Amino acid sequence: MKLGEFSIGVGDRFAHQAKAQLEACILAGKAGIEVIPVWNKSNREHAIIGSEPSSVRAAADTAVKELGWKLPYFCDADHINLSTVDRFLNFCDFFTLDVADSIGRPAEASSIDAFVKRHSELLGTIRLEGAGKSIQITPDLLERTAAKFLFAVQEAGKIYRKIEAAKGKSGFIAEVSMDETDAAQSPAELLIILAAISDEGIPVQTIAPKFSGRFNKGVDYVGDPRQFASEMELDMAAIQLAIASYGLPSNLKLSVHSGSDKFSIYPAIHAAMKKFSTGVHLKTAGTNWLEELIGLAEAGGDGLALAKEIYAEAFAHADELCAPYATVIDIDRIKLPSPLEVDRWSSAQFTSALRHDQSSPAYNPSLRQLLHVGFKVAAKMGGRYLDLLEANEAVIAKNVTENLYARHIAPVFLGIQQDAELSTRLTGTRA
C-alpha cells in the first residue's frame, strides 16, 4: 500500500460523520487535488467511548460506497503500541507506531556502539539541499542521539514486525510517531532517527516529529510561526536526504499531529510542500466532534439543550476530563462561563463562543478546549446523543464538511486561506 502525496487524518469519535468528512475530500478533488482520507481513532478514544476499531472501518467503508469514492482510503490504528495493537489488526491498514514513551530509555550499550560505528557517514558537515543550510553532527551528538532514541526505534521495529506477521509487508502503511514528548527533535536528530528506522527495516511512509511551540487540542498554534517554518523546511530536507541515503520509501513525508485548527502555521506548511515538491499528512481528530456540538447548538431546540448540558457536565468534571490531556491543553478557568450563564445563551451565542473564528469577539478558546476533551460526557449519554446526531444530520454535516474543507484542506493543500466567500462558494454555508 502507498499513501498519496496529500493526506488528512480525520477523527470521527462517534462514527457518524464519515460521509461529511469524505465530502470535504470530494471538494478537494473538484478543486484539482487528491487528498486521501485516513480515518484515525486511538485506543484511548475507543476505551473512553466504549467503541471498537470495527466501527471505524464500517463507517469509512459505508461512506466510500455511498459517495462512490474511487481513490484510496485508510483506517488508522492511532497511537498504538505492542500492548494495544492486536485489537486493530483485522480492521486497520494504517498503523501509527507510537514510541514517544520509550524516548530516553537507553538501548543496550553494544547496540549504541554498533549504530555509531555503522553510521560514520553521518559525522561532520551535512548539506541539507533545498533548505540552503548545513548541519553539524559531532561524534558526541551522534552517540547522545542514539542513546536517546535508539531504544524507541527498536520498539517501533517490534511493533512493525508484529503487524507485518499478521498483514504482510505490503498490507499496511506504517507511521512512526515521536511527537508526544517534551523536547522538539532537531533536523540532525531526525536524520539520525531515520537512519535507525532504516536499520530496523521499517518502510515508514510518514513520521511525526515533535515541533517547537505548543500544539494544543482544538486551538491555534502557540509559538513563533517563523521558527516552525524553518523547522519544517529543515525536516523536509532531512527526510529527502534520508530517502536518498537509506533506501526509505520515496513517498516518506512529515506527519503533523494535533494538526487541526493550527491556522497560523498552515501557510508555512503549504509553502514548504511547494518548495520541496512533497506532501504532508495532516492529522486532525477532535475538531470533528466540536463541529457536531456546533451543529447541535445551531439546530436549536433539543440539540441546543443537549449542547448546554454537555458543557455543564464538562464544567463540573473539568479536572477529570483535562487530566489525560494536561500537556496539550491550556485552559484559563477564569474565562470559562458558568453553566448558569451558558444556559441562558441563544443558539448564536453558543456557536459563536465555540466556533474557531478568531475574528469573533465571542470566540472562547478556553471553552473550546474544555469541550474538546469533554467527549466523554457525550459518550456516557449513549443513545440520547447519537439520536440527536441523526435527527440533525443535515446541519451537522454542513458544519463538518465546511470546517474540514475550508479551514483545513484549502489552506494547507491549496494555499487558499479561509474566508466567507470560500465557504459559501464551495459548501453553500457561511464561514
Side-chain angles (χ1 to χ4, degrees):
M1 292 185 177
K2 185 175 182 179
L3 186 62
E5 184 178 14
F6 304 132
S7 55
I8 188 161
V10 286
D12 188 12
R13 286 176 174 161
F14 295 96
H16 274 63
Q17 305 310 322
K19 284 177 63 177
Q21 293 167 324
L22 190 56
E23 288 280 12
C25 294
I26 291 172
L27 286 173
K30 292 177 179 178
I33 60 168
E34 294 182 357
V35 177
I36 302 303
V38 181
W39 279 275
N40 49 260
K41 193 168 182 180
S42 69
N43 189 68
R44 176 171 61 186
E45 289 165 0
H46 280 299
I48 290 173
I49 291 173
S51 56
E52 292 293 333
S54 57
S55 66
V56 178
R57 170 57 66 183
D61 287 349
T62 298
V64 164
K65 181 178 180 180
E66 292 186 3
L67 295 180
W69 180 256
K70 301 302 182 184
L71 296 173
Y73 67 100
F74 302 95
C75 291
D76 177 10
D78 194 13
H79 289 291
I80 49 89
N81 54 41
L82 276 174
S83 65
T84 58
V85 65
D86 286 339
R87 69 188 300 205
F88 294 91
L89 291 173
N90 291 332
F91 307 104
C92 293
D93 46 18
F94 187 119
F95 289 80
T96 299
L97 316 181
D98 187 351
V99 293
D101 286 346
S102 296
I103 294 173
R105 292 179 59 184
E108 293 182 1
S110 59
S111 294
I112 296 172
D113 290 342
F115 177 84
V116 169
K117 291 177 182 177
R118 186 163 58 250
H119 289 290
S120 60
E121 80 285 351
L122 287 167
L123 295 173
T125 301
I126 298 175
R127 182 73 174 172
L128 294 179
E129 297 298 337
K133 294 183 180 179
S134 298
I135 55 175
Q136 292 282 339
I137 299 181
T138 64
D140 179 65
L141 176 60
L142 181 57
E143 186 169 347
R144 282 191 288 108
T145 304
K148 184 176 182 180
F149 293 103
L150 188 56
F151 180 84
V153 174
Q154 291 171 343
E155 286 298 296
K158 292 176 183 178
I159 305 168
Y160 171 79
R161 285 185 286 276
K162 184 171 186 177
I163 302 167
E164 183 187 38
K167 303 185 74 70
K169 194 175 187 67
S170 61
F172 64 102
I173 289 168
E175 171 176 290
V176 174
S177 167
M178 293 190 170
D179 65 303
E180 293 191 358
T181 187
D182 294 335
Q185 291 103 35
S186 69
E189 288 175 323
L190 180 60
L191 182 59
I192 296 168
I193 289 167
L194 290 170
I197 288 174
S198 175
D199 287 351
E200 281 292 318
I202 305 172
V204 61
Q205 295 190 41
T206 77
I207 185 162
K210 167 78 170 178
F211 296 103
S212 63
R214 285 183 65 89
F215 285 72
N216 292 330
K217 297 290 186 181
V219 293
D220 204 352
Y221 173 77
V222 180
D224 183 351
R226 292 170 299 180
Q227 181 179 351
F228 173 85
S230 176
E231 289 179 7
M232 172 147 283
E233 288 194 6
L234 289 168
D235 283 350
M236 285 183 172
I239 285 174
Q240 290 191 347
L241 178 58
I243 291 170
S245 301
Y246 302 116
L248 291 167
S250 60
N251 64 325
L252 172 59
K253 61 184 180 178
L254 286 172
S255 181
V256 182
H257 283 200
S258 294
S260 58
D261 300 275
K262 303 302 179 285
F263 302 144
S264 63
I265 59 173
Y266 288 171
I269 295 175
H270 180 76
M273 286 193 295
K274 288 189 68 176
K275 182 174 183 177
F276 287 88
S277 300
T278 188
V280 156
H281 181 60
L282 184 75
K283 185 167 283 191
T284 73
T287 189
N288 179 83
W289 135 253
L290 292 177
E291 293 303 318
E292 287 183 341
L293 274 186
I294 289 169
L296 287 175
E298 200 171 64
D302 291 341
L304 176 60
L306 190 72
K308 291 177 177 179
E309 183 181 341
I310 289 171
Y311 176 76
E313 284 294 304
F315 186 93
H317 298 91
D319 290 340
E320 170 195 340
L321 295 171
C322 292
Y325 299 92
T327 61
V328 287
I329 55 175
D330 188 12
I331 295 174
D332 185 344
R333 300 290 182 99
I334 295 175
K335 294 182 179 179
L336 291 174
S338 72
L340 286 175
E341 179 184 350
V342 172
D343 194 50
R344 295 191 293 267
W345 281 358
S346 66
S347 173
Q349 285 175 302
F350 193 101
T351 56
S352 294
L354 182 54
R355 182 175 283 120
H356 196 170
D357 178 3
Q358 296 179 74
S359 67
S360 170
Y363 169 59
N364 187 327
S366 291
L367 175 143
R368 183 174 172 86
Q369 288 177 89
L370 176 60
L371 285 172
H372 192 288
V373 301
F375 64 95
K376 185 177 182 180
V377 175
K380 288 183 177 179
M381 292 178 171
R384 285 184 62 211
Y385 180 73
L386 298 180
D387 288 348
L388 278 172
L389 288 186
E390 293 171 6
N392 297 283
E393 178 183 356
V395 64
I396 291 171
K398 283 184 179 181
N399 279 281
V400 170
T401 301
E402 175 191 342
N403 174 64
L404 191 59
Y405 182 81
R407 296 191 184 97
H408 294 83
I409 289 175
V412 172
F413 300 115
L414 287 167
I416 302 173
Q417 295 310 298
Q418 54 170 321
D419 56 48
E421 290 185 6
L422 175 70
S423 295
T424 301
R425 186 168 69 252
L426 294 173
T427 67
T429 59
R430 80 284 161 281

